[in-house]
Structures are given as structure tokens and as C-alpha cells.
């Protein structure tokens, strides 16, 4: 931890929030002199203060420890680069087309790596009216089921949340330009089917 770099970051974040050193000190139950000392790089906050500082300033704890909020390398948000994330605690489903870090329930999430669908995760796709009717024989039990299905086309994604004990079928509208169907198994991860 570089105390000078962290101090400069804390001062910048405090000013962005429109707060005084006194307000930050009161929120943390420390003296204004302690906040001034940190901002001048003459010391660092106690490690027990970091979660509260992270919350006050709306900054990821890891970035606060690094003393740097430099933007990530800009990636063009392209649906071909769409990444899926699933929180292991609450089951929240998140997507991103660019870089950055996603967190849920206090955990840093890693993107799921898609593999071609195998026999156990195969689906049948039929065209009905203007929809895709997708059926599968994969188990839909409480501890082993498809969490979601997502159809990704060039300009949009359609995500269908699936639940245990639900039937092995769903419908999604057809999108122009073709795309890929992704299925996320609660036990085996992410699979892709070209459409």
C-alpha cells in the first residue's frame, strides 16, 4: 500500500462526494486530523476502516487498496463478446459486453466459459410461427437444472430464467441475423448451440 497514492485517492473521492474531512471523520468515528493525515499521505487508515471507506465513496475495496481508479482498457461493447456471470450465493445472473469487474454478494465473479453442447445438454429447436420452440431432456431437479437460456443475436440478447421442477421447454422470439443459444447448467456450466 502506497500511503501517498491512497491519500490522493481518498482526497479526490471525498471531494467528488462533496464531503468535508469532518463529515468523513464523523462517518468513520475518527478525528478530522486522522482524515487529514491520510489524505496527506502521512499514514493509512486502519484496515478495519477500509470497508466503510469503500461504502462511503462507492469504490471497490480492491481498487481502494491499490490507490488507483484508472479506467480499465476500453472494450467496445459487442454482443459477440457477451459474457455471462452467475453468483454462487444468490444465483443472480449478470451479463457484460466489455471489461471490468462484476461483484455480487461480496464475491468477485468470473465469466462462465461456454463449451459446445454435449449429449447430456442437447436441445431440440423447432420453428413455430415466429418463435423458436426449444425442448430438452436435461434434468430440472433442485440440485441439477438449467439456470437460464439466452439467445444472443448481433444486436440483442433474450434471456429466459429457468427454474427447478419446470418443464423441459421454453419459447423465444426469432431474431434476424442468426445467433447462438446459451444454456447454463447449475452443475456443469455454460453450453452453446449454434442456431
Amino acid at each position: 500500500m502506497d500511503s501517498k497514492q491512497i491519500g490522493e485517492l481518498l482526497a479526490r473521492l471525498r471531494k467528488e462526494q462533496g464531503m468535508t474531512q469532518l463529515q468523513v471523520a464523523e462517518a468513520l468515528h475518527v478525528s478530522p486530523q486522522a482524515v487529514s493525515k491520510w489524505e496527506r499521505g502521512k499514514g493509512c487508515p486502519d484496515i478495519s476502516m477500509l470497508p466503510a471507506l469503500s461504502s462511503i465513496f462507492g469504490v471497490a475495496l480492491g481498487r481502494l487498496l491499490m490507490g488507483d481508479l484508472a479506467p480499465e482498457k476500453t472494450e467496445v461493447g459487442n454482443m459477440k463478446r457477451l459474457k455471462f456471470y452467475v453468483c454462487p450465493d444468490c444465483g443472480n445472473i449478470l451479463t457484460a459486453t466489455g471489461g471490468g469487474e462484476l461483484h455480487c454478494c461480496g464475491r468477485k465473479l468470473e465469466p462462465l466459459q461456454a463449451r459446445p453442447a454435449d449429449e447430456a445438454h442437447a436441445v431440440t429447436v423447432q420453428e413455430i410461427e415466429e418463435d423458436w420452440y426449444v425442448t430438452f431432456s436435461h434434468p430440472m431437479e433442485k440440485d441439477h437444472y438449467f439456470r437460464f437460456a439466452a439467445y444472443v443475436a448481433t444486436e440483442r440478447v433474450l434471456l429466459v430464467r429457468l427454474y427447478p421442477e419446470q418443464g423441459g421447454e421454453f419459447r423465444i422470439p426469432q431474431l434476424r441475423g442468426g445467433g447462438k443459444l446459451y444454456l447454463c447448467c447449475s452443475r456443469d456450466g455454460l453450453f452453446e448451440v449454434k442456431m
Side-chain angles (χ1 to χ4, degrees):
M1 287 181 22
D2 180 345
S3 60
K4 181 106 173 121
Q5 193 172 359
I6 291 173
E8 289 171 1
L9 177 62
L10 291 175
R12 187 177 109 213
L13 292 171
R14 176 181 59 77
K15 291 172 185 171
E16 284 177 7
Q17 294 291 325
M19 298 177 77
T20 65
Q21 288 181 344
L22 177 61
Q23 290 171 318
V24 172
E26 288 173 350
L28 296 172
H29 307 290
V30 297
S31 70
Q33 291 82 2
V35 175
S36 174
K37 179 180 168 184
W38 301 337
E39 289 185 1
R40 290 181 287 122
K42 302 296 181 188
C44 284
D46 185 80
I47 196 156
S48 64
M49 301 272 178
L50 294 178
L53 281 166
S54 172
S55 177
I56 290 168
F57 297 135
V59 175
L61 189 57
R63 298 307 292 262
L64 194 59
L65 284 169
M66 291 184 334
D68 181 21
L69 289 181
E72 299 287 335
K73 178 183 168 195
T74 304
E75 290 185 30
V76 177
N78 182 324
M79 287 307 213
K80 291 180 181 177
R81 296 182 184 163
L82 186 71
K83 298 172 192 158
F84 295 95
Y85 302 79
V86 175
C87 177
D89 293 332
C90 69
N92 196 9
I93 301 165
L94 302 155
T95 62
T97 57
E101 292 181 359
L102 293 179
H103 296 259
C104 190
C105 297
R107 295 179 183 236
K108 179 182 174 188
L109 303 180
E110 295 297 328
L112 300 174
Q113 300 300 317
R115 332 182 274 257
D118 56 20
E119 192 174 311
H121 299 91
V123 297
T124 302
V125 181
Q126 298 173 329
E127 188 176 332
I128 297 181
E129 297 167 357
E130 303 220 357
D131 289 344
W132 294 115
Y133 179 63
V134 182
T135 58
F136 53 88
S137 60
H138 188 275
M140 292 298 282
E141 300 161 355
K142 202 168 195 169
D143 63 338
H144 189 203
Y145 63 100
F146 278 140
R147 291 180 185 273
F148 68 86
Y151 182 61
V152 180
T154 54
E155 77 284 346
R156 70 182 72 174
V157 61
L158 296 172
L159 191 122
V160 178
R161 181 75 188 240
L162 303 171
Y163 298 94
E165 299 169 12
Q166 174 180 332
E169 61 186 14
F170 62 91
R171 271 177 96 147
I172 54 174
Q174 292 182 23
L175 298 177
R176 294 182 187 164
K180 289 184 184 177
L181 179 67
Y182 291 89
L183 298 147
C184 180
C185 174
S186 63
R187 187 183 295 171
D188 302 317
L190 190 65
F191 295 91
E192 67 180 5
V193 177
K194 290 184 181 177
M195 303 271 288

